[in-house]
Amino acid sequence: MTVLDFPIRDLPLDPNVAQRLASDPLSSVWVGASAGSGKTKVLTDRVLRLMLSGTAPARILCLTFTKAAAAEMSIRINRTLGIWATLPDEGLEDRLADLCGERPSAETRTIARRLFAQVVDCPGGMKIQTIHAFCQSLLRRFPLEAGLAPHFEVMDERTAAGLLTEARDEVLHAGRAAPDSPLGKAMARLTAELNAEEFAGILAELASERGRIQRLFESFHGLDGAVDAVHEALGVPPGITEAAILREACADHAFDGTGLRDACRALSTGSKTDEERGVGIQSWLDAAENRVRAFQIYARHFLTAEGGARKTLITKKPATSFPAALTALEREAERLVSLMKRVRSAGVAASTTALLTLAESLLSAYEAKKKAKALLDYDDLILSANALLRGKDGVPAVPWVLFKLDGGLDHILIDEAQDTNPEQWQVVGSIAEEFFAGLSARDGGETTRTVFAVGDEKQSIFSFQRADPAEFARMRRHFQTRAKAAERDWHAVALDISFRSTATVLQTVDAVFGLDGAKDGVASETNPVIRHRAFRRGHAGLVELWPPVKPAEAADPPAWAPPVEREAADSPSARLAAVIADTIRDWTQRGESLESRGRPIQPGDVMVLVRRRTAFVTELVRALKDRAVPVAGVDRMVLTEQLAVMDLMALCEFLLLPEDDLTLATVLKGPLIGLSEDQLFDLAHGRRGTLWRALVAKAEDDPAYRPARRYLGAQLARTDFLAPYELFAGLLAAPCPADPDGSGRRALLKRLGPDAQDPLDEFLAVCLAFEKTEPPSLQNFLAWLAASEAEIKRELEQGGGRVRIMTVHGSKGLQAPIVFLPDTLGTPTQSPPILWPDEGCAVPLFAARRSQEDALCAEARARANRRRDQEYRRLLYVALTRAEDRLYVCGYQGRKEPSDVCWYKLVEAAMGEIGVPHPFDFSTLCPDGWSGEGWRLADPQTAVPKPDGAGAGRVLTAQEAPPWLTAAAPEEPEPSRPSPPPARMATSRRCARRSARTTGRASSAAC
């Protein structure tokens, strides 16, 4: 047994050394792969070497984070195996030597040539899939053992949102109908403390965290167990409420009434503030029946807004004259401080109990609806697989299921291990449990079974999916301990050689995370120093830190100036968007060279990464389109907010209710019909009755309105007989008044541009999805679509020659030669409304207001905020490492000065150590430009450029489209009449002669 740790400083620059060690088929390996270090290659190399060593393809399980990663890995493996099958012996020998580090034998070459056929013949293909796909296949194989219906289906996010909405409405109705029930009381407490918007936000939070809540109830054996654990953690006995504590605290025996009355007399001799305090205390003491109601007012005389005792309870003069008064007031203040802590703890316990009660009812209703339709969501796949494999308390409910799985797998590979959450790790741990239990009984112990994981703690940015860098480290220690106990080889390999970025970019990354303020959350025990080495030596690199855009000073208008001129509002974000768009256009027009590639810069070389989807994204897309710079749009969209979809929905609302004049006016002005403002005014002004009746009457006299009348009339006639998909597909495929020689789709694209293409395709896909689960009525479809706010994720892995704009989360795994970071001056300020369990507190905590939180909540919130800030810095690491050649860091700010720990300030501090001051003046490039001092770091091109072929392609604009693309198809010629067979020809001749004779006799008779 050997356990090896290879720190990055001891590895040579040759990346093959570490990669071969990581792909060793006889060892379990844990790989820490920095950004751009070739982890996908290591994964594929390990799979190839496992198969070369004799492992059957079906006995390898590779779990990836995304479907795209699984597809990419499968393509690479199949391509490599196909090449091996056709290479000559010399070429194959070289390839295998590069892979394994030694010359292959003739037997190895034969095995390599046969692997392609083995993979093709593998039943169901190789097991390269996401963790959710694996769990789904597992549950398909053992549905009854998992307690599921054999015909279960996995629902998409939109269907899940619809069921959750139904469950929510059902729960709220039940709570209102039974106000004295636990659910009714819980709702009464929450709605009394929260406004309508906050309550809706809490419901959305509960819905999004349903998996976490379900796991919480399972760990505490139901709602009652969870409530008891909450009270125990807060130190509040069950049944104790804030009102009970206050009633006890307001009783005469609970405080020194005599001392306080004497203090009131002493206060009456002091200052005006003393007198007011004395009157307030005396009033509370005298009103024994109203003490509880007036307690908060009474407590303000002793406590600050933060809950601490006031520094001055009585001024110096009366305190000197009546020393006992000061003692009585201080003793009461101490009592109230302690009392308010108990009240806040009881309030947190009550609010958390109400929250859990509401959550339990919501989840129960949601589960009932899922079971009624035999549906599972993505969380259910993981939870059900865990329940099947682990059972309760880690004891499998059906042990032979694990036995069946254990007999079919020898090697497990986990990609993006840092983004695997604890429940997913439990699935992996259950499968690999027997890997280190001893010798395999299948082949006498000759098979070495291994676990391989590759990830990077620095890139763990999916906390909203419960990914945790600490879990990554814990599982590393777990598997290392198991391997050591079983006397198996274990390698911990760190990959720090970047194939992606130039030395300039990597130097900036190292400098940023060498700062003390940037290390927290990025550096770790196993990797305390962030350092990268560039494989691309001698390639030109550039990093620029632009001066931030600040709000312009608003000039005061002249006194009594009439408000008759429109003044453009100053928007720093819009100014930055304009400068970025002008910069990209200037590069493409001048033919700016991308030196490392030996070609001009193309729009597809540029990626713009933002931290959040704000108005800046829309402004940048608009600026790029205004300058005719090809842009791929944004990476996500809400379908119902897309203009093309809104036009189709407006048309359908008219079809359902033709008397809706406003909707009909929208349709007539829309891209499908295209009436002008004047035409619509002539139609609508002075009409009698509805707009539809006016259109019908107008079309009788004016031919300009007839196409619209015929088109809408035809759609009205079809609406009641077509399902939504048939209706919309027909609308998009058939001609319309705005494009009588084309189609509705072409009319929409002509008005709205090519960006409408994706929303239209997604809209039709949504129509099909709706018809699979719901009655296909148009009214039902519109209601279902309007209630759903699910986002459509657009795949922008390849920009297609266009500028890509996406969030840093969406860019994970992607890269670009040129990266802009415009959203760098903001910092996260939102704290979670619900404090979920963590390492310091095993139960959730909730209070409607920060002022109602107790000390335990304050500690939990501090930990949550620290985790948020740590992920904020890891997000910066991911953003910086997307750049291959050039990195531009910029930002815009409001009136408030940015934080010292924002991305911009961190990069600025690093550039101050490694960069060169550089003046920037963007006013010559753009009217909205600005000037200021920034920083620059550049390295020249000294190596031979490596062409990538990206400059060969370009994006065709509408003007460059070939003529046949928009021309109507020619009319098909009428087919010639087929010749009749001989027998029929003879019969035809006899009939013709008989007809002629008959016609002749008739003509003679007529004469």
PDB file of all heavy atoms in Angstrom, residues 868-897:
ATOM      1  N   ARG A 868     -21.283  33.101   2.356  1.00  0.00           N
ATOM      2  CA  ARG A 868     -21.668  33.891   1.181  1.00  0.00           C
ATOM      3  C   ARG A 868     -20.476  34.668   0.642  1.00  0.00           C
ATOM      4  O   ARG A 868     -20.236  34.684  -0.579  1.00  0.00           O
ATOM      5  CB  ARG A 868     -22.789  34.844   1.575  1.00  0.00           C
ATOM      6  CG  ARG A 868     -23.238  35.815   0.507  1.00  0.00           C
ATOM      7  CD  ARG A 868     -23.947  36.993   1.135  1.00  0.00           C
ATOM      8  NE  ARG A 868     -23.044  37.785   1.963  1.00  0.00           N
ATOM      9  CZ  ARG A 868     -23.447  38.697   2.857  1.00  0.00           C
ATOM     10  NH1 ARG A 868     -24.724  38.907   3.051  1.00  0.00           N
ATOM     11  NH2 ARG A 868     -22.554  39.380   3.558  1.00  0.00           N
ATOM     12  N   ASP A 869     -19.722  35.299   1.511  1.00  0.00           N
ATOM     13  CA  ASP A 869     -18.567  36.085   1.068  1.00  0.00           C
ATOM     14  C   ASP A 869     -17.451  35.192   0.523  1.00  0.00           C
ATOM     15  O   ASP A 869     -16.747  35.575  -0.410  1.00  0.00           O
ATOM     16  CB  ASP A 869     -18.042  36.930   2.232  1.00  0.00           C
ATOM     17  CG  ASP A 869     -19.047  37.984   2.687  1.00  0.00           C
ATOM     18  OD1 ASP A 869     -19.944  38.306   1.891  1.00  0.00           O
ATOM     19  OD2 ASP A 869     -18.942  38.446   3.835  1.00  0.00           O
ATOM     20  N   GLN A 870     -17.289  34.010   1.091  1.00  0.00           N
ATOM     21  CA  GLN A 870     -16.284  33.076   0.572  1.00  0.00           C
ATOM     22  C   GLN A 870     -16.640  32.639  -0.847  1.00  0.00           C
ATOM     23  O   GLN A 870     -15.770  32.577  -1.722  1.00  0.00           O
ATOM     24  CB  GLN A 870     -16.173  31.862   1.494  1.00  0.00           C
ATOM     25  CG  GLN A 870     -15.495  32.146   2.829  1.00  0.00           C
ATOM     26  CD  GLN A 870     -15.518  30.931   3.741  1.00  0.00           C
ATOM     27  OE1 GLN A 870     -16.392  30.064   3.640  1.00  0.00           O
ATOM     28  NE2 GLN A 870     -14.551  30.852   4.654  1.00  0.00           N
ATOM     29  N   GLU A 871     -17.914  32.354  -1.071  1.00  0.00           N
ATOM     30  CA  GLU A 871     -18.315  31.969  -2.419  1.00  0.00           C
ATOM     31  C   GLU A 871     -18.186  33.133  -3.393  1.00  0.00           C
ATOM     32  O   GLU A 871     -17.881  32.935  -4.576  1.00  0.00           O
ATOM     33  CB  GLU A 871     -19.751  31.440  -2.417  1.00  0.00           C
ATOM     34  CG  GLU A 871     -20.206  30.982  -3.788  1.00  0.00           C
ATOM     35  CD  GLU A 871     -21.467  30.159  -3.733  1.00  0.00           C
ATOM     36  OE1 GLU A 871     -21.550  29.248  -2.888  1.00  0.00           O
ATOM     37  OE2 GLU A 871     -22.360  30.412  -4.552  1.00  0.00           O
ATOM     38  N   TYR A 872     -18.397  34.344  -2.904  1.00  0.00           N
ATOM     39  CA  TYR A 872     -18.206  35.535  -3.734  1.00  0.00           C
ATOM     40  C   TYR A 872     -16.775  35.598  -4.256  1.00  0.00           C
ATOM     41  O   TYR A 872     -16.533  35.939  -5.421  1.00  0.00           O
ATOM     42  CB  TYR A 872     -18.550  36.764  -2.889  1.00  0.00           C
ATOM     43  CG  TYR A 872     -18.224  38.103  -3.504  1.00  0.00           C
ATOM     44  CD1 TYR A 872     -18.988  38.625  -4.533  1.00  0.00           C
ATOM     45  CD2 TYR A 872     -17.154  38.856  -3.030  1.00  0.00           C
ATOM     46  CE1 TYR A 872     -18.711  39.872  -5.074  1.00  0.00           C
ATOM     47  CE2 TYR A 872     -16.867  40.100  -3.563  1.00  0.00           C
ATOM     48  CZ  TYR A 872     -17.643  40.602  -4.594  1.00  0.00           C
ATOM     49  OH  TYR A 872     -17.354  41.834  -5.136  1.00  0.00           O
ATOM     50  N   ARG A 873     -15.806  35.253  -3.421  1.00  0.00           N
ATOM     51  CA  ARG A 873     -14.405  35.272  -3.862  1.00  0.00           C
ATOM     52  C   ARG A 873     -14.101  34.082  -4.764  1.00  0.00           C
ATOM     53  O   ARG A 873     -13.307  34.201  -5.701  1.00  0.00           O
ATOM     54  CB  ARG A 873     -13.493  35.299  -2.638  1.00  0.00           C
ATOM     55  CG  ARG A 873     -13.526  36.634  -1.899  1.00  0.00           C
ATOM     56  CD  ARG A 873     -12.561  36.675  -0.743  1.00  0.00           C
ATOM     57  NE  ARG A 873     -13.041  35.947   0.410  1.00  0.00           N
ATOM     58  CZ  ARG A 873     -13.819  36.477   1.358  1.00  0.00           C
ATOM     59  NH1 ARG A 873     -14.207  37.730   1.260  1.00  0.00           N
ATOM     60  NH2 ARG A 873     -14.206  35.753   2.387  1.00  0.00           N
ATOM     61  N   ARG A 874     -14.702  32.927  -4.505  1.00  0.00           N
ATOM     62  CA  ARG A 874     -14.509  31.788  -5.419  1.00  0.00           C
ATOM     63  C   ARG A 874     -15.106  32.096  -6.789  1.00  0.00           C
ATOM     64  O   ARG A 874     -14.588  31.655  -7.824  1.00  0.00           O
ATOM     65  CB  ARG A 874     -15.133  30.520  -4.832  1.00  0.00           C
ATOM     66  CG  ARG A 874     -14.407  29.981  -3.617  1.00  0.00           C
ATOM     67  CD  ARG A 874     -14.828  28.568  -3.294  1.00  0.00           C
ATOM     68  NE  ARG A 874     -16.212  28.471  -2.901  1.00  0.00           N
ATOM     69  CZ  ARG A 874     -16.657  28.565  -1.662  1.00  0.00           C
ATOM     70  NH1 ARG A 874     -15.797  28.799  -0.669  1.00  0.00           N
ATOM     71  NH2 ARG A 874     -17.936  28.438  -1.383  1.00  0.00           N
ATOM     72  N   LEU A 875     -16.183  32.848  -6.796  1.00  0.00           N
ATOM     73  CA  LEU A 875     -16.790  33.254  -8.062  1.00  0.00           C
ATOM     74  C   LEU A 875     -15.832  34.137  -8.850  1.00  0.00           C
ATOM     75  O   LEU A 875     -15.758  34.049 -10.086  1.00  0.00           O
ATOM     76  CB  LEU A 875     -18.098  33.991  -7.772  1.00  0.00           C
ATOM     77  CG  LEU A 875     -19.160  34.015  -8.872  1.00  0.00           C
ATOM     78  CD1 LEU A 875     -19.652  32.617  -9.167  1.00  0.00           C
ATOM     79  CD2 LEU A 875     -20.331  34.890  -8.441  1.00  0.00           C
ATOM     80  N   LEU A 876     -15.074  34.976  -8.148  1.00  0.00           N
ATOM     81  CA  LEU A 876     -14.060  35.790  -8.828  1.00  0.00           C
ATOM     82  C   LEU A 876     -12.984  34.912  -9.440  1.00  0.00           C
ATOM     83  O   LEU A 876     -12.518  35.176 -10.561  1.00  0.00           O
ATOM     84  CB  LEU A 876     -13.444  36.778  -7.829  1.00  0.00           C
ATOM     85  CG  LEU A 876     -12.254  37.602  -8.341  1.00  0.00           C
ATOM     86  CD1 LEU A 876     -12.646  38.454  -9.541  1.00  0.00           C
ATOM     87  CD2 LEU A 876     -11.682  38.482  -7.218  1.00  0.00           C
ATOM     88  N   TYR A 877     -12.583  33.865  -8.744  1.00  0.00           N
ATOM     89  CA  TYR A 877     -11.579  32.952  -9.304  1.00  0.00           C
ATOM     90  C   TYR A 877     -12.081  32.319 -10.603  1.00  0.00           C
ATOM     91  O   TYR A 877     -11.366  32.264 -11.611  1.00  0.00           O
ATOM     92  CB  TYR A 877     -11.237  31.854  -8.292  1.00  0.00           C
ATOM     93  CG  TYR A 877     -10.296  30.804  -8.828  1.00  0.00           C
ATOM     94  CD1 TYR A 877      -8.920  31.006  -8.817  1.00  0.00           C
ATOM     95  CD2 TYR A 877     -10.773  29.623  -9.385  1.00  0.00           C
ATOM     96  CE1 TYR A 877      -8.045  30.054  -9.321  1.00  0.00           C
ATOM     97  CE2 TYR A 877      -9.915  28.668  -9.891  1.00  0.00           C
ATOM     98  CZ  TYR A 877      -8.551  28.884  -9.856  1.00  0.00           C
ATOM     99  OH  TYR A 877      -7.700  27.946 -10.379  1.00  0.00           O
ATOM    100  N   VAL A 878     -13.326  31.869 -10.593  1.00  0.00           N
ATOM    101  CA  VAL A 878     -13.896  31.264 -11.805  1.00  0.00           C
ATOM    102  C   VAL A 878     -13.940  32.292 -12.928  1.00  0.00           C
ATOM    103  O   VAL A 878     -13.605  31.990 -14.077  1.00  0.00           O
ATOM    104  CB  VAL A 878     -15.303  30.702 -11.510  1.00  0.00           C
ATOM    105  CG1 VAL A 878     -15.974  30.230 -12.793  1.00  0.00           C
ATOM    106  CG2 VAL A 878     -15.212  29.559 -10.514  1.00  0.00           C
ATOM    107  N   ALA A 879     -14.346  33.524 -12.618  1.00  0.00           N
ATOM    108  CA  ALA A 879     -14.453  34.556 -13.654  1.00  0.00           C
ATOM    109  C   ALA A 879     -13.095  34.871 -14.260  1.00  0.00           C
ATOM    110  O   ALA A 879     -12.952  34.966 -15.494  1.00  0.00           O
ATOM    111  CB  ALA A 879     -15.083  35.821 -13.054  1.00  0.00           C
ATOM    112  N   LEU A 880     -12.076  35.037 -13.439  1.00  0.00           N
ATOM    113  CA  LEU A 880     -10.757  35.397 -13.955  1.00  0.00           C
ATOM    114  C   LEU A 880     -10.169  34.286 -14.822  1.00  0.00           C
ATOM    115  O   LEU A 880      -9.494  34.556 -15.823  1.00  0.00           O
ATOM    116  CB  LEU A 880      -9.809  35.706 -12.795  1.00  0.00           C
ATOM    117  CG  LEU A 880     -10.128  36.931 -11.930  1.00  0.00           C
ATOM    118  CD1 LEU A 880      -9.161  37.017 -10.755  1.00  0.00           C
ATOM    119  CD2 LEU A 880     -10.064  38.212 -12.756  1.00  0.00           C
ATOM    120  N   THR A 881     -10.409  33.058 -14.451  1.00  0.00           N
ATOM    121  CA  THR A 881      -9.777  31.934 -15.158  1.00  0.00           C
ATOM    122  C   THR A 881     -10.533  31.511 -16.407  1.00  0.00           C
ATOM    123  O   THR A 881     -10.157  30.514 -17.030  1.00  0.00           O
ATOM    124  CB  THR A 881      -9.628  30.732 -14.210  1.00  0.00           C
ATOM    125  OG1 THR A 881     -10.898  30.419 -13.622  1.00  0.00           O
ATOM    126  CG2 THR A 881      -8.626  31.036 -13.111  1.00  0.00           C
ATOM    127  N   ARG A 882     -11.587  32.227 -16.797  1.00  0.00           N
ATOM    128  CA  ARG A 882     -12.231  31.922 -18.084  1.00  0.00           C
ATOM    129  C   ARG A 882     -11.425  32.514 -19.245  1.00  0.00           C
ATOM    130  O   ARG A 882     -11.613  32.122 -20.395  1.00  0.00           O
ATOM    131  CB  ARG A 882     -13.647  32.498 -18.153  1.00  0.00           C
ATOM    132  CG  ARG A 882     -14.662  32.004 -17.142  1.00  0.00           C
ATOM    133  CD  ARG A 882     -14.736  30.516 -17.038  1.00  0.00           C
ATOM    134  NE  ARG A 882     -13.905  30.044 -15.939  1.00  0.00           N
ATOM    135  CZ  ARG A 882     -13.607  28.783 -15.706  1.00  0.00           C
ATOM    136  NH1 ARG A 882     -14.053  27.850 -16.516  1.00  0.00           N
ATOM    137  NH2 ARG A 882     -12.836  28.425 -14.698  1.00  0.00           N
ATOM    138  N   ALA A 883     -10.566  33.483 -18.966  1.00  0.00           N
ATOM    139  CA  ALA A 883      -9.848  34.203 -20.029  1.00  0.00           C
ATOM    140  C   ALA A 883      -8.667  33.383 -20.521  1.00  0.00           C
ATOM    141  O   ALA A 883      -7.877  32.869 -19.716  1.00  0.00           O
ATOM    142  CB  ALA A 883      -9.381  35.564 -19.517  1.00  0.00           C
ATOM    143  N   GLU A 884      -8.525  33.300 -21.830  1.00  0.00           N
ATOM    144  CA  GLU A 884      -7.392  32.614 -22.433  1.00  0.00           C
ATOM    145  C   GLU A 884      -6.247  33.579 -22.717  1.00  0.00           C
ATOM    146  O   GLU A 884      -5.088  33.307 -22.364  1.00  0.00           O
ATOM    147  CB  GLU A 884      -7.826  31.934 -23.728  1.00  0.00           C
ATOM    148  CG  GLU A 884      -8.892  30.865 -23.549  1.00  0.00           C
ATOM    149  CD  GLU A 884      -9.343  30.289 -24.882  1.00  0.00           C
ATOM    150  OE1 GLU A 884      -8.724  30.615 -25.919  1.00  0.00           O
ATOM    151  OE2 GLU A 884     -10.327  29.538 -24.895  1.00  0.00           O
ATOM    152  N   ASP A 885      -6.529  34.701 -23.398  1.00  0.00           N
ATOM    153  CA  ASP A 885      -5.479  35.616 -23.835  1.00  0.00           C
ATOM    154  C   ASP A 885      -5.594  37.005 -23.214  1.00  0.00           C
ATOM    155  O   ASP A 885      -4.590  37.579 -22.798  1.00  0.00           O
ATOM    156  CB  ASP A 885      -5.513  35.754 -25.366  1.00  0.00           C
ATOM    157  CG  ASP A 885      -5.242  34.441 -26.058  1.00  0.00           C
ATOM    158  OD1 ASP A 885      -4.067  34.123 -26.270  1.00  0.00           O
ATOM    159  OD2 ASP A 885      -6.208  33.718 -26.391  1.00  0.00           O
ATOM    160  N   ARG A 886      -6.810  37.544 -23.186  1.00  0.00           N
ATOM    161  CA  ARG A 886      -6.989  38.909 -22.706  1.00  0.00           C
ATOM    162  C   ARG A 886      -8.075  38.943 -21.638  1.00  0.00           C
ATOM    163  O   ARG A 886      -9.097  38.252 -21.748  1.00  0.00           O
ATOM    164  CB  ARG A 886      -7.375  39.849 -23.850  1.00  0.00           C
ATOM    165  CG  ARG A 886      -6.329  39.982 -24.949  1.00  0.00           C
ATOM    166  CD  ARG A 886      -6.754  41.088 -25.909  1.00  0.00           C
ATOM    167  NE  ARG A 886      -5.831  41.260 -27.021  1.00  0.00           N
ATOM    168  CZ  ARG A 886      -5.905  42.244 -27.901  1.00  0.00           C
ATOM    169  NH1 ARG A 886      -6.878  43.140 -27.789  1.00  0.00           N
ATOM    170  NH2 ARG A 886      -5.044  42.342 -28.886  1.00  0.00           N
ATOM    171  N   LEU A 887      -7.840  39.810 -20.647  1.00  0.00           N
ATOM    172  CA  LEU A 887      -8.789  39.984 -19.556  1.00  0.00           C
ATOM    173  C   LEU A 887      -8.966  41.478 -19.316  1.00  0.00           C
ATOM    174  O   LEU A 887      -7.984  42.197 -19.122  1.00  0.00           O
ATOM    175  CB  LEU A 887      -8.278  39.295 -18.290  1.00  0.00           C
ATOM    176  CG  LEU A 887      -9.105  39.489 -17.018  1.00  0.00           C
ATOM    177  CD1 LEU A 887     -10.484  38.865 -17.169  1.00  0.00           C
ATOM    178  CD2 LEU A 887      -8.372  38.885 -15.820  1.00  0.00           C
ATOM    179  N   TYR A 888     -10.216  41.931 -19.357  1.00  0.00           N
ATOM    180  CA  TYR A 888     -10.540  43.336 -19.128  1.00  0.00           C
ATOM    181  C   TYR A 888     -11.453  43.427 -17.906  1.00  0.00           C
ATOM    182  O   TYR A 888     -12.581  42.906 -17.936  1.00  0.00           O
ATOM    183  CB  TYR A 888     -11.219  43.953 -20.350  1.00  0.00           C
ATOM    184  CG  TYR A 888     -10.336  44.007 -21.574  1.00  0.00           C
ATOM    185  CD1 TYR A 888     -10.279  42.933 -22.457  1.00  0.00           C
ATOM    186  CD2 TYR A 888      -9.547  45.118 -21.836  1.00  0.00           C
ATOM    187  CE1 TYR A 888      -9.461  42.970 -23.580  1.00  0.00           C
ATOM    188  CE2 TYR A 888      -8.726  45.164 -22.957  1.00  0.00           C
ATOM    189  CZ  TYR A 888      -8.690  44.087 -23.817  1.00  0.00           C
ATOM    190  OH  TYR A 888      -7.867  44.135 -24.929  1.00  0.00           O
ATOM    191  N   VAL A 889     -10.962  44.064 -16.862  1.00  0.00           N
ATOM    192  CA  VAL A 889     -11.732  44.238 -15.634  1.00  0.00           C
ATOM    193  C   VAL A 889     -12.193  45.692 -15.569  1.00  0.00           C
ATOM    194  O   VAL A 889     -11.376  46.616 -15.652  1.00  0.00           O
ATOM    195  CB  VAL A 889     -10.887  43.894 -14.396  1.00  0.00           C
ATOM    196  CG1 VAL A 889     -11.719  44.050 -13.130  1.00  0.00           C
ATOM    197  CG2 VAL A 889     -10.332  42.477 -14.508  1.00  0.00           C
ATOM    198  N   CYS A 890     -13.482  45.895 -15.467  1.00  0.00           N
ATOM    199  CA  CYS A 890     -14.047  47.247 -15.438  1.00  0.00           C
ATOM    200  C   CYS A 890     -15.242  47.241 -14.499  1.00  0.00           C
ATOM    201  O   CYS A 890     -15.579  46.215 -13.912  1.00  0.00           O
ATOM    202  CB  CYS A 890     -14.437  47.716 -16.846  1.00  0.00           C
ATOM    203  SG  CYS A 890     -15.215  46.453 -17.869  1.00  0.00           S
ATOM    204  N   GLY A 891     -15.893  48.368 -14.361  1.00  0.00           N
ATOM    205  CA  GLY A 891     -17.027  48.405 -13.460  1.00  0.00           C
ATOM    206  C   GLY A 891     -17.717  49.753 -13.472  1.00  0.00           C
ATOM    207  O   GLY A 891     -17.185  50.741 -13.978  1.00  0.00           O
ATOM    208  N   TYR A 892     -18.929  49.781 -12.941  1.00  0.00           N
ATOM    209  CA  TYR A 892     -19.705  51.014 -12.819  1.00  0.00           C
ATOM    210  C   TYR A 892     -20.236  51.095 -11.396  1.00  0.00           C
ATOM    211  O   TYR A 892     -20.501  50.074 -10.759  1.00  0.00           O
ATOM    212  CB  TYR A 892     -20.861  51.031 -13.821  1.00  0.00           C
ATOM    213  CG  TYR A 892     -21.771  49.833 -13.723  1.00  0.00           C
ATOM    214  CD1 TYR A 892     -22.900  49.856 -12.902  1.00  0.00           C
ATOM    215  CD2 TYR A 892     -21.513  48.670 -14.448  1.00  0.00           C
ATOM    216  CE1 TYR A 892     -23.732  48.753 -12.793  1.00  0.00           C
ATOM    217  CE2 TYR A 892     -22.340  47.563 -14.343  1.00  0.00           C
ATOM    218  CZ  TYR A 892     -23.440  47.613 -13.523  1.00  0.00           C
ATOM    219  OH  TYR A 892     -24.257  46.514 -13.404  1.00  0.00           O
ATOM    220  N   GLN A 893     -20.367  52.282 -10.874  1.00  0.00           N
ATOM    221  CA  GLN A 893     -20.801  52.448  -9.498  1.00  0.00           C
ATOM    222  C   GLN A 893     -21.874  53.515  -9.400  1.00  0.00           C
ATOM    223  O   GLN A 893     -22.068  54.330 -10.307  1.00  0.00           O
ATOM    224  CB  GLN A 893     -19.616  52.815  -8.608  1.00  0.00           C
ATOM    225  CG  GLN A 893     -19.047  54.204  -8.862  1.00  0.00           C
ATOM    226  CD  GLN A 893     -17.876  54.518  -7.953  1.00  0.00           C
ATOM    227  OE1 GLN A 893     -16.792  53.956  -8.103  1.00  0.00           O
ATOM    228  NE2 GLN A 893     -18.100  55.420  -7.006  1.00  0.00           N
ATOM    229  N   GLY A 894     -22.574  53.490  -8.277  1.00  0.00           N
ATOM    230  CA  GLY A 894     -23.575  54.501  -8.002  1.00  0.00           C
ATOM    231  C   GLY A 894     -23.004  55.600  -7.133  1.00  0.00           C
ATOM    232  O   GLY A 894     -21.788  55.835  -7.102  1.00  0.00           O
ATOM    233  N   ARG A 895     -23.880  56.270  -6.424  1.00  0.00           N
ATOM    234  CA  ARG A 895     -23.426  57.362  -5.566  1.00  0.00           C
ATOM    235  C   ARG A 895     -22.634  56.841  -4.371  1.00  0.00           C
ATOM    236  O   ARG A 895     -21.778  57.536  -3.830  1.00  0.00           O
ATOM    237  CB  ARG A 895     -24.630  58.160  -5.070  1.00  0.00           C
ATOM    238  CG  ARG A 895     -25.455  58.793  -6.176  1.00  0.00           C
ATOM    239  CD  ARG A 895     -24.680  59.911  -6.872  1.00  0.00           C
ATOM    240  NE  ARG A 895     -25.430  60.477  -7.992  1.00  0.00           N
ATOM    241  CZ  ARG A 895     -24.937  61.382  -8.815  1.00  0.00           C
ATOM    242  NH1 ARG A 895     -23.692  61.813  -8.644  1.00  0.00           N
ATOM    243  NH2 ARG A 895     -25.670  61.857  -9.819  1.00  0.00           N
ATOM    244  N   LYS A 896     -22.903  55.608  -3.980  1.00  0.00           N
ATOM    245  CA  LYS A 896     -22.237  55.035  -2.829  1.00  0.00           C
ATOM    246  C   LYS A 896     -20.872  54.471  -3.227  1.00  0.00           C
ATOM    247  O   LYS A 896     -20.729  53.848  -4.276  1.00  0.00           O
ATOM    248  CB  LYS A 896     -23.108  53.925  -2.227  1.00  0.00           C
ATOM    249  CG  LYS A 896     -22.598  53.369  -0.925  1.00  0.00           C
ATOM    250  CD  LYS A 896     -23.564  52.309  -0.404  1.00  0.00           C
ATOM    251  CE  LYS A 896     -23.056  51.704   0.892  1.00  0.00           C
ATOM    252  NZ  LYS A 896     -23.978  50.661   1.412  1.00  0.00           N
ATOM    253  N   GLU A 897     -19.880  54.708  -2.382  1.00  0.00           N
ATOM    254  CA  GLU A 897     -18.545  54.199  -2.656  1.00  0.00           C
ATOM    255  C   GLU A 897     -18.521  52.674  -2.518  1.00  0.00           C
ATOM    256  O   GLU A 897     -19.163  52.111  -1.630  1.00  0.00           O
ATOM    257  CB  GLU A 897     -17.527  54.817  -1.686  1.00  0.00           C
ATOM    258  CG  GLU A 897     -17.195  56.259  -1.979  1.00  0.00           C
ATOM    259  CD  GLU A 897     -16.525  56.427  -3.344  1.00  0.00           C
ATOM    260  OE1 GLU A 897     -15.648  55.609  -3.684  1.00  0.00           O
ATOM    261  OE2 GLU A 897     -16.888  57.380  -4.066  1.00  0.00           O
TER     262      GLU A 897
END
